[in-house]
Amino acid sequence: MNSTSPRRRFARAAVAGLALTGLLSACGGSGSGDKASSGPSGPVTLPFWGWANGQDAVVKAFNAAHKDIKLKYTKVTDQLTMQKQLTNAVKAGNAPCLVQNTAEYVTTWVSQGALADISRYVSADRDRFNAGVWASAQVQGKSYGVPTSSAPAFTIYRTDVFQKYHLKAPTTWDEFIAAGKVLKKHGVKITNYAGEDPSTLEVLSMQAGAHWYAIDGNSWKVDFQDAGSLKAAQVIQEIIDNDLDSKLSFADYAAVQRNYDSGGTATRQISTWQMAGMVQNFTKSDGKWALSPWPTYPGEAAKTPAGTNQSGGVTLVTQQCTHQQQAAEAALWMSTDTGAVKTMASPTTGNGVMPALADSDAYVAEAISDKLLGTDYEPAKKVVTDSLNTVTSDWVFGPDWTAMFTELQTGWAKVMSKEQKVTDLLAHMQEWTVKDLKSRGISVKG
């Protein structure tokens, strides 16, 4: 939702206590870890692929601090490019040892046999991490990587624009739509919906209590048309029908940033990492932004979605890595070393991500910008901290998430062009996903 790539999230993706048979494809993918080196004679070099700002600096710091393990970093363009390149590398048998990724892809990669089970190397450190984020790197209680970040979610809005038109920060989606109608009269959009990014539908569905994927016995249950999904569809449809949204593609990232900077669009539902782009690109609106909690559905308590742009990241270890123990140790260091964590938390030196650590509140000041927020910097700290305490924790990512999301993107583009309704897209995704899972030999109900 309002991101340079549509996938950023953490959630309880683990399906603990259930057999893989029938839940994942026949290729399995539990990763035994039997490729771990027991005693290399010289320094071990581990290829590491990622895309986030600041990772090259973290790699340099790691290499300076270690004699026996070295990281060789390759920067990939973005999240989606990573999935394509990793797919090709796995097929060719030359996958890197370490891969930056996000939680929704873990189950998919496990089902394809691409990841190593590194539980024996990292389990002793689990208490150092936020419990929900720790689960994001697991399937069936086995760890396939180390969490790198969490992602508190909130609204950032233009204080000068809201004050000019006598508006308050919306606390509910009804208030959000009402404010959008006022702003529209003055040529300002309340939000931006990119035609290639259906994450808006996902996170609003999640917030409303939807479960597109769930485990039912030894089968997957698929439901894109439950009450939560339909509630989300109603909000989104009203915004689209009333033309309250800009429709700028993140393919032209500079244009999106100029639009926010100039006041063409007045709010974003984002996390700390997305603020980094605002800090780095804005020239007109510094000090004119403030944070407010994620809008709620009327009559409901605060609930922050743990999906899409609001998720944390993971560093995954691949099954093809010949030094899995060393890879696990490197992943742990990058997620726990104080200097590395501060580098990545800063919107200036890194990606503005909140750490995955249990004591991540201590890094809030690092992850938000006083330059961007001005006099609203101090109040923003509480908004960020509070959001971490209301995150959904029961969302499950299905084993065909990558393919499903690609299909969802196609339909979302038609929703944005008003060729179909959001409810039409949900109905299509219900039928398509059930059929897709069955074609993969995966047991499914729906």
Side-chain angles (χ1 to χ4, degrees), residues 45-60:
T45 299
L46 307 174
F48 172 33
W49 290 2
W51 66 81
N53 293 333
Q55 281 187 331
D56 52 349
V58 170
V59 167
K60 289 179 182 178

Side-chain angles (χ1 to χ4, degrees), residues 227-301:
S229 297
L230 297 178
K231 186 187 294 186
Q234 184 176 357
V235 170
I236 294 169
Q237 195 66 59
E238 189 166 358
I239 290 172
I240 294 171
D241 288 347
N242 286 280
D243 296 313
L244 307 182
D245 58 312
S246 301
K247 295 179 174 62
L248 299 175
S249 170
F250 284 97
D252 191 348
Y253 184 62
V256 175
Q257 296 289 44
R258 286 195 300 269
N259 180 260
Y260 287 121
D261 196 21
S262 64
T265 304
T267 81
R268 300 178 71 182
Q269 273 77 45
I270 61 171
S271 185
T272 53
W273 67 268
Q274 290 142 313
M275 295 173 68
M278 302 171 78
V279 172
Q280 295 161 8
N281 290 280
F282 286 2
T283 60
K284 301 177 181 179
S285 61
D286 284 340
K288 298 178 180 178
W289 294 86
L291 304 188
S292 64
W294 189 279
T296 64
Y297 289 97
E300 296 187 6

Side-chain angles (χ1 to χ4, degrees), residues 1 173 198-212 223-236 294 297 300 303 305-306 308 392 394-395 408 412 422 426:
M1 194 174 186
W173 287 114
S199 57
T200 297
L201 177 58
E202 180 193 345
V203 292
L204 264 68
S205 296
M206 182 187 300
Q207 182 191 15
H211 294 90
W212 290 354
D223 193 350
F224 283 78
Q225 296 175 291
D226 59 7
S229 297
L230 297 178
K231 186 187 294 186
Q234 184 176 357
V235 170
I236 294 169
W294 189 279
Y297 289 97
E300 296 187 6
K303 189 177 183 182
T308 307
T392 54
D394 58 352
W395 184 261
L408 188 67
W412 179 257
V422 182
L426 290 171

Side-chain angles (χ1 to χ4, degrees), residues 18-307:
L18 296 168
L20 281 173
T21 305
L23 291 174
L24 302 177
S25 62
C27 58
S30 62
S32 65
D34 57 359
K35 292 189 177 184
S37 173
S38 59
S41 57
V44 169
T45 299
L46 307 174
F48 172 33
W49 290 2
W51 66 81
N53 293 333
Q55 281 187 331
D56 52 349
V58 170
V59 167
K60 289 179 182 178
F62 177 89
N63 288 339
H66 294 79
K67 292 189 298 183
D68 297 331
I69 308 175
K70 301 295 181 182
L71 297 177
K72 183 180 180 182
Y73 181 62
T74 298
K75 188 165 187 176
V76 178
T77 304
D78 54 37
Q79 170 97 334
L80 294 182
T81 302
M82 173 67 79
Q83 313 316 316
K84 296 174 184 177
Q85 293 187 358
L86 183 57
T87 296
N88 294 335
V90 169
K91 290 180 179 178
N94 58 2
C97 275
L98 293 161
V99 180
Q100 178 191 357
N101 227 297
T102 47
E104 76 276 16
Y105 293 113
V106 176
T107 304
T108 297
W109 287 120
V110 169
S111 74
Q112 295 178 17
L115 302 183
D117 174 8
I118 59 169
S119 301
R120 56 178 166 161
Y121 307 127
V122 301
S123 293
D125 291 272
R126 66 179 300 158
D127 289 343
R128 302 172 71 181
F129 294 85
N130 174 289
V133 183
W134 182 261
S136 71
Q138 294 187 318
V139 175
Q140 286 194 289
K142 296 179 179 180
S143 294
Y144 294 89
V146 176
T148 59
S149 60
S150 58
F154 43 79
T155 299
I156 189 168
Y157 67 98
R158 281 287 293 266
T159 54
D160 57 333
V161 174
F162 271 65
Q163 289 169 3
K164 182 177 181 179
Y165 301 118
H166 309 290
L167 295 170
K168 295 181 179 180
T171 60
T172 68
W173 287 114
D174 284 352
E175 291 178 3
F176 188 83
I177 292 170
K181 291 178 179 179
V182 172
L183 292 172
K184 178 185 175 183
K185 296 176 183 178
H186 303 283
V188 179
K189 302 295 187 180
I190 188 75
T191 191
N192 181 63
Y193 287 167
E196 74 276 9
D197 184 4
S199 57
T200 297
L201 177 58
E202 180 193 345
V203 292
L204 264 68
S205 296
M206 182 187 300
Q207 182 191 15
H211 294 90
W212 290 354
Y213 292 87
I215 301 298
D216 186 358
N218 287 324
S219 298
W220 287 94
K221 180 180 178 182
V222 175
D223 193 350
F224 283 78
Q225 296 175 291
D226 59 7
S229 297
L230 297 178
K231 186 187 294 186
Q234 184 176 357
V235 170
I236 294 169
Q237 195 66 59
E238 189 166 358
I239 290 172
I240 294 171
D241 288 347
N242 286 280
D243 296 313
L244 307 182
D245 58 312
S246 301
K247 295 179 174 62
L248 299 175
S249 170
F250 284 97
D252 191 348
Y253 184 62
V256 175
Q257 296 289 44
R258 286 195 300 269
N259 180 260
Y260 287 121
D261 196 21
S262 64
T265 304
T267 81
R268 300 178 71 182
Q269 273 77 45
I270 61 171
S271 185
T272 53
W273 67 268
Q274 290 142 313
M275 295 173 68
M278 302 171 78
V279 172
Q280 295 161 8
N281 290 280
F282 286 2
T283 60
K284 301 177 181 179
S285 61
D286 284 340
K288 298 178 180 178
W289 294 86
L291 304 188
S292 64
W294 189 279
T296 64
Y297 289 97
E300 296 187 6
K303 189 177 183 182
T304 305

Side-chain angles (χ1 to χ4, degrees), residues 152-156 270-279 289-292 342-355 360-385 387-388:
F154 43 79
T155 299
I156 189 168
I270 61 171
S271 185
T272 53
W273 67 268
Q274 290 142 313
M275 295 173 68
M278 302 171 78
V279 172
W289 294 86
L291 304 188
S292 64
K342 285 185 175 180
T343 295
M344 297 307 294
S346 169
T348 302
T349 62
N351 226 33
V353 295
M354 286 288 290
S360 61
D361 286 5
Y363 294 89
V364 170
E366 299 279 349
I368 61 177
S369 168
D370 56 352
K371 175 187 174 184
L372 184 67
L373 299 169
T375 57
D376 288 292
Y377 173 73
E378 288 298 328
K381 293 180 182 179
K382 186 176 187 303
V383 174
V384 174
T385 302
S387 73
L388 288 169

